[in-house]
Amino acid sequence: MTQMCLRYNAINLSQGTPAYQPPDEVKAAAIKAIQEGYNQYSITWGAPEFREAIAHKMNTFNGIPTDAAKNVTVTCGSTEGMLSALLAIINPGDEVIIFEPFYENYGPDTIISGAKPVYVPLQETQTDDGDMRFTYDRNELKEAFSSHTKAIILNTPNNPLGKVFTLDELHEIADLCEVYDCIAVTDEIYEHMIYDGGEHFSIGALPQMRNRTITVSGLSKTYSMTGWRLGYVVAPEVLTDAIRKMHDFLTVGAPHPLQRAGVASLNLPQQYYTDLIAKYDNNRQKLVKILTDADFRCHPPEGAYYIMTDISDFGFEDDTAFGHWLVKEIGVGGVPGSSFYSRPELGKTKFRFMFSIADDILDEVGERLMKIRSKI
Ligand code: PLP
């Protein structure tokens, strides 16, 4: 979709690349680290001061008791973190449960590591307050677990739906992990982007999950530095040993000078996060209005920076046909929903837009999308 957007000069709301820059003091810390000579490999599982900063953040923000020496592995983005984690724990014949729709990498990661993916649908449901949110069916979740289940992948806040798992949902998942003796592998890369006063809960903070959770996160989204490739995995010591081996053989280590600057990111004051949420919330509200005014069916996401829409009212053959038409005729790009499902037909009425985008460009998106009805 990005290539098509470039070809047709369309506004690209497909890729999850932040429109912003890291704070100046963080950029300065990276330059300083290069000038001071941090230009060779760090310890393969991460520079000690960066691991210390991560451990501090895990203890205070996530509520997961973390020792920098025993529990933290710095990886090349959370992308590598997720794959190293799965490669470390999967044995032939294992199954991994994945909520669907899912961030595109989880399916391939599961298959590369030798496991069979088992999908559990997330459906739009009405809450008692009349709001719409994405939830799973309890029985469907229970039925997905078996003696073959090694892990369940969670993503909260979730891409592509913006779902934020509640404490009750995490307790329910934790109980099943205990019964079936399996591990929660949780991707929390959007943990700082939650709206309407909602709260981020880490399943690894539940006492019953201390020995069976692998938490994957990173700096890409929170500090607008997807190109720096800084991620990390926090896990019990015995799992960390295996994860560090996988990580060493896959990538050796994340960029050393950028890890030094990562410390400056993690030390930013609380105000940074307050401003971040305010900025994204403004974009969220604006894009929801633009999309509903243009006859997309959607509701405000609880977290992350994506809006999953329903496009069935536009009458296209499928999501891909709609996506191509939208780029060529309207000049806006998004991601066909089928990319987030195991079987394309499940997502053929869905289409995802992202809202990490400058304010004036969002205004232009609004003007362009208003032309949809007159062109169909
Ligand atoms: N996890 C999720 C849910 C994402 O949406 C993305 C990027 O879009 C990533 C992980 C990739 O993160 P990283 O840059 O840390 O590899």
Side-chain angles (χ1 to χ4, degrees):
M1 292 312 295
T2 295
Q3 281 169 24
M4 271 196 84
C5 287
L6 287 171
R7 198 174 326 136
Y8 291 95
N9 203 19
I11 300 175
N12 187 1
L13 301 189
S14 60
Q15 245 180 334
T17 309
Y20 310 109
Q21 287 291 318
D24 285 345
E25 62 264 45
V26 174
K27 287 194 264 186
I31 294 163
K32 185 163 170 266
I34 290 172
Q35 283 169 340
E36 283 180 350
Y38 292 93
N39 296 307
Q40 314 308 334
Y41 303 125
S42 67
I43 294 172
T44 174
W45 51 85
E49 45 289 290
F50 188 40
R51 273 184 290 121
E52 286 295 346
I54 292 164
H56 176 73
K57 176 252 172 195
M58 295 304 294
N59 283 307
T60 52
F61 177 76
N62 302 83
I64 301 178
T66 306
D67 180 333
K70 295 180 184 156
N71 308 120
V72 181
T73 309
V74 174
T75 54
C76 292
S78 63
T79 299
E80 188 232 301
M82 178 58 75
L83 185 56
S84 292
L86 291 177
L87 285 169
I89 61 171
I90 297 299
N91 292 317
D94 284 347
E95 292 180 358
V96 171
I97 297 174
I98 302 175
F99 287 105
E100 183 173 52
F102 52 88
Y103 171 55
E104 296 104 309
N105 286 23
Y106 302 152
D109 285 348
T110 302
I111 292 163
I112 289 169
S113 59
K116 181 178 156 223
V118 175
Y119 299 101
V120 174
L122 290 169
Q123 310 275 17
E124 198 168 35
T125 28
Q126 197 160 24
T127 65
D128 295 342
D129 306 335
D131 294 335
M132 299 306 283
R133 70 182 299 268
F134 291 99
T135 50
Y136 55 83
D137 178 274
R138 284 177 164 192
N139 291 328
E140 277 178 329
L141 179 64
K142 261 189 214 157
E143 277 161 24
F145 279 84
S146 75
S147 58
H148 299 294
T149 310
K150 173 55 70 71
I152 176 165
I153 297 180
L154 291 178
N155 176 211
T156 183
N158 162 289
N159 171 10
L161 299 179
K163 172 185 172 60
V164 175
F165 281 77
T166 63
L167 200 50
D168 283 349
E169 288 170 332
L170 295 181
H171 272 291
E172 189 163 51
I173 294 164
D175 289 346
L176 288 165
C177 286
E178 266 200 304
V179 171
Y180 289 91
D181 189 19
C182 72
I183 297 170
V185 185
T186 169
D187 175 348
E188 303 186 3
I189 190 125
Y190 297 103
E191 60 199 340
H192 288 290
M193 293 166 190
I194 298 189
Y195 311 108
D196 301 326
E199 223 182 311
H200 174 69
F201 297 108
S202 293
I203 194 166
L206 304 181
Q208 70 195 106
M209 291 302 287
R210 293 256 161 91
N211 293 325
R212 52 175 79 253
T213 302
I214 300 177
T215 307
V216 180
S217 194
L219 279 61
S220 287
K221 311 289 174 164
T222 306
Y223 307 103
S224 303
M225 46 172 70
T226 51
W228 286 29
R229 311 310 302 131
L230 291 181
Y232 53 88
V233 182
V234 172
E237 192 174 358
V238 61
L239 297 179
T240 296
D241 284 348
I243 293 165
R244 285 180 176 177
K245 288 193 182 81
M246 285 302 161
H247 159 72
D248 191 2
F249 292 125
L250 281 175
T251 63
V252 179
H256 194 176
L258 303 185
Q259 292 187 55
R260 305 271 313 175
V263 177
S265 302
L266 293 169
N267 285 341
L268 286 166
Q270 185 52 41
Q271 191 60 41
Y272 175 80
Y273 304 95
T274 310
D275 295 346
L276 183 85
I277 292 174
K279 189 164 61 181
Y280 275 103
D281 191 21
N282 174 56
N283 290 4
R284 175 184 75 128
Q285 296 193 29
K286 214 162 158 172
L287 188 58
V288 167
K289 178 158 189 335
I290 288 171
L291 291 169
T292 40
D293 285 352
D295 287 348
F296 287 84
R297 274 195 270 144
C298 62
H299 65 263
E302 297 160 344
Y305 52 67
Y306 306 95
I307 299 175
M308 189 67 129
T309 64
D310 188 299
I311 51 164
S312 28
D313 289 351
F314 296 125
F316 280 77
E317 186 193 332
D318 62 25
D319 55 329
T320 309
F322 176 76
H324 289 184
W325 178 86
L326 198 70
V327 168
K328 287 185 198 161
E329 298 297 326
I330 303 294
V332 175
V335 183
S338 51
S339 323
F340 306 103
Y341 288 85
S342 53
R343 287 181 287 125
E345 64 272 22
L346 297 174
K348 73 177 202 174
T349 60
K350 307 272 188 267
F351 204 77
R352 190 199 78 175
F353 294 96
M354 73 102 184
F355 56 80
S356 185
I357 191 110
D359 215 41
D360 54 330
I361 301 182
L362 258 184
D363 291 335
E364 176 65 27
V365 168
E367 279 169 33
R368 292 189 187 189
L369 291 184
M370 282 317 286
K371 297 188 187 130
I372 289 185
R373 278 298 181 200
S374 61
K375 290 210 174 188
I376 286 178

